[in-house]
């Protein structure tokens, strides 16, 4: 049964919030464009972002449409299992804090490929790293664009295709003219709006249950059975749960748009501090998703949510309309739109960096492109990726965005994270080993996703999937590590081994350590 809702009808309040956000962020873009003159400004905001600013921006990058719309939708329609996404994404941050942030800032320049390629042959490593980056970015972009299409359709009553085109145009404008500086401040504005909106919504939900979350969970169990508070509805197999958890945990440390943020701060200490701030903000936000998901389950109902959107992605907006009427729906919808727009801008920037900095400047031009050429290629790559994102968003209409993001995390965890760790922390890693690890992680993940129940059975209609797990990270992460180690052992590279001591010194002391 379709609930009584104004979703899908043009809303003056929603439009007012939408245009206010667009006006503010375009003002930021205009301000940033005047300060974006070189490749370092475009990719890394001139290393001018403070630890606090970067922490909020990191949180903004991470609190995506999948978090706000997808998790609330999964919890509201499946119960406890939807929370695996909240906890899985959150526990990945200690890995970033203790293992990745400081070495990345000390060793790299614009992309994680800078770190992996530092002591190896540039061309093969850059090509493999760019492939893994682009595969991750494309899957993540699909999820964000699908969520964006549903929301703009909600805000204006436009067709899904028109909605995707609107998002694509705004996204390209932010990145094309403002680069990393505009993207960072759009993320900060979005993070503040999202935390405020989610907190308000959670307060309104808890007000219906005496301010007691336990009473909310009890109401969900009373109405839909104790099964909604136990695992097994969405992820039935323990191996599936473990595999998904590994993808979410280690994928965080391999996401290109997250790793790129550590180059925007002046030094390694600021990079590490920014992760501390981001972890606190993200943890608080994911606690709120517990309340929003179960609140939507009890107050709106799973059937009503699926009637509006089969993937469950409209659970939070429906809950907002129920509790605060059309004005609050307009505010929440605009917040969710801001969320998506900011994240797709960050993803597009990281994909453009892989195309222009890694492939064009370092592979095609052999590091001999002048600053003007680098900036021109980066902007051309931004437009190209934006158009690809629009096409993919239209093609994948109707998929649950949280699940799509988990696939992006599987690729990041399997293709990027093992090569990054091996190149930084293992003296014996070689060019051949790093390339083999990244290629295996990317190809094996995509192949096993295609053979999984999600694609082979649910999309292609086969009776039995060739690969039993819905997420392949349990297989592909160890496989990628193993291939990297075995190939490095078989293809020794004395020069890369000899350069490791210098890399280790720079990893701990920063670029200044090169002169010590």
């Amino acid at each position: 049964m379709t609930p009584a809702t104004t979703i899908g009808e043009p809303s003056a309040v929603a439009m007012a919030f939408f245009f206010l956000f667009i006006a503010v962020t375009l003002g930021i873009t205009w301000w940033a464009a005047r300060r974006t003159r070189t490749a370092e400004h475009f990719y890394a905001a001139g290393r001018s972002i403070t630890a606090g600013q970067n922490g909020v921006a990191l949180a903004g990058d991470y609190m995506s449409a999948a978090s706000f719309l997808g998790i609330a939708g999964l919890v509201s329609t499946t119960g406890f299992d939807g929370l695996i996404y909240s906890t899985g994404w959150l526990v990945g941050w200690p890995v970033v804090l203790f293992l990745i942030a400081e070495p990345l800032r000390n060793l790299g320049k614009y992309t994680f490929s800078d770190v992996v390629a530092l002591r190896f042959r540039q061309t093969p490593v850059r090509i493999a790293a760019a492939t893994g980056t682009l595969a991750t970015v494309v899957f993540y972009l699909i999820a964000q664009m699908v969520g964006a299409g549903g929301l703009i359709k909600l805000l204006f009553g436009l067709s899904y295709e028109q909605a995707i085109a609107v998002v694509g145009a705004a996204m390209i404008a932010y990145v094309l003219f403002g680069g990393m500086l505009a993207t960072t401040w759009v993320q900060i504005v979005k993070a503040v709006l999202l935390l405020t909106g989610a907190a308000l919504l959670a307060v309104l939900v808890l007000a219906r249950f005496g301010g007691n979350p336990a009473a909310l969970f009890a109401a969900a169990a009373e109405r839909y059975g104790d099964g909604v508070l136990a695992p097994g509805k969405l992820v039935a197999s323990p191996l599936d749960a473990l595999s998904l958890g590994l993808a979410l945990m280690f994928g965080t440390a391999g996401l290109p748009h997250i790793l790129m943020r550590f180059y925007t701060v002046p030094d390694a200490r600021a990079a590490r501090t920014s992760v501390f701030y981001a972890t606190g903000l993200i943890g608080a936000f994911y606690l709120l998703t517990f309340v929003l998901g179960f609140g939507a389950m009890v107050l709106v109902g799973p059937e009503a949510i699926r009637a509006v959107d089969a993937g469950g992605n409209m659970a939070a907006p429906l809950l907002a309309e129920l509790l605060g009427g059309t004005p609050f729906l307009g505010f929440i919808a605009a917040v969710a739109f801001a969320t998506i727009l900011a994240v797709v801008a960050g993803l597009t920037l990281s994909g453009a960096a892989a195309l222009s900095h890694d492939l064009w400047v370092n592979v095609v031009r052999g590091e001999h492109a002048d600053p003007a050429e680098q900036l021109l290629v980066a902007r051309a790559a931004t437009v190209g990726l934006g158009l690809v994102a629009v096409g993919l968003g239209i093609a994948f209409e109707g998929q649950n965005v949280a699940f799509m993001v988990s696939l992006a995390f599987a690729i990041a965890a399997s293709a990027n994270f093992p090569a990054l760790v091996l190149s930084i922390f293992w003296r014996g890693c070689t060019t051949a080993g790093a390339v083999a690890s990244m290629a295996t992680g990317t190809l094996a993940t995509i192949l096993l996703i295609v053979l999984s129940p999600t694609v082979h059975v649910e999309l292609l209609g086969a009776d039995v999937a060739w690969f039993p797990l819905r997420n392949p990270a349990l297989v592909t992460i160890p496989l990628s590590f193993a291939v990297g180690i075995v190939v490095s052992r078989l293809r020794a590279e004395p020069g890369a081994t000899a350069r490791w001591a210098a890399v280790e010194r720079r990893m701990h002391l920063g670029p200044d350590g090169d002169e010590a």
Side-chain angles (χ1 to χ4, degrees), residues 58 90-105 249 252-253 258-259 262 268-280 417 425:
L58 270 171
L90 181 61
V91 298
W93 282 94
V95 178
V96 178
L97 176 62
F98 294 111
L99 205 63
I100 299 296
E102 189 170 333
L104 204 76
R105 179 61 187 84
M249 182 175 176
T252 302
I258 296 294
L259 300 180
F262 297 123
R269 180 178 182 181
R272 194 172 56 245
T273 306
S274 67
V275 177
F276 177 78
Y277 290 136
T279 305
F417 177 70
F425 297 106

Side-chain angles (χ1 to χ4, degrees), residues 264-360:
T264 65
V265 293
D267 53 39
R269 180 178 182 181
R272 194 172 56 245
T273 306
S274 67
V275 177
F276 177 78
Y277 290 136
T279 305
L281 293 172
I282 293 166
F285 174 75
Y286 282 142
L287 285 177
L288 296 176
T289 63
F290 284 46
V291 176
L292 303 187
F294 280 106
M297 173 186 281
V298 174
L299 299 175
V300 181
E303 290 185 6
I305 293 168
R306 289 195 186 98
V308 174
D309 181 273
N313 298 320
M314 291 301 109
L318 283 167
L319 184 64
E321 185 178 32
L322 178 75
L323 295 174
T326 304
F328 196 42
L329 166 65
F331 175 69
I332 289 296
V335 167
F337 169 74
T339 298
I340 293 172
L341 203 51
V343 172
V344 294
L347 286 167
T348 303
L349 188 58
S350 63
L355 287 169
S356 54
H357 175 65
D358 292 330
L359 294 182
W360 180 261

Side-chain angles (χ1 to χ4, degrees), residues 354-374:
L355 287 169
S356 54
H357 175 65
D358 292 330
L359 294 182
W360 180 261
V361 175
N362 285 282
V363 175
V364 177
R365 301 284 287 159
E367 301 183 51
H368 297 304
D370 61 45
E373 180 181 340
Q374 292 183 38

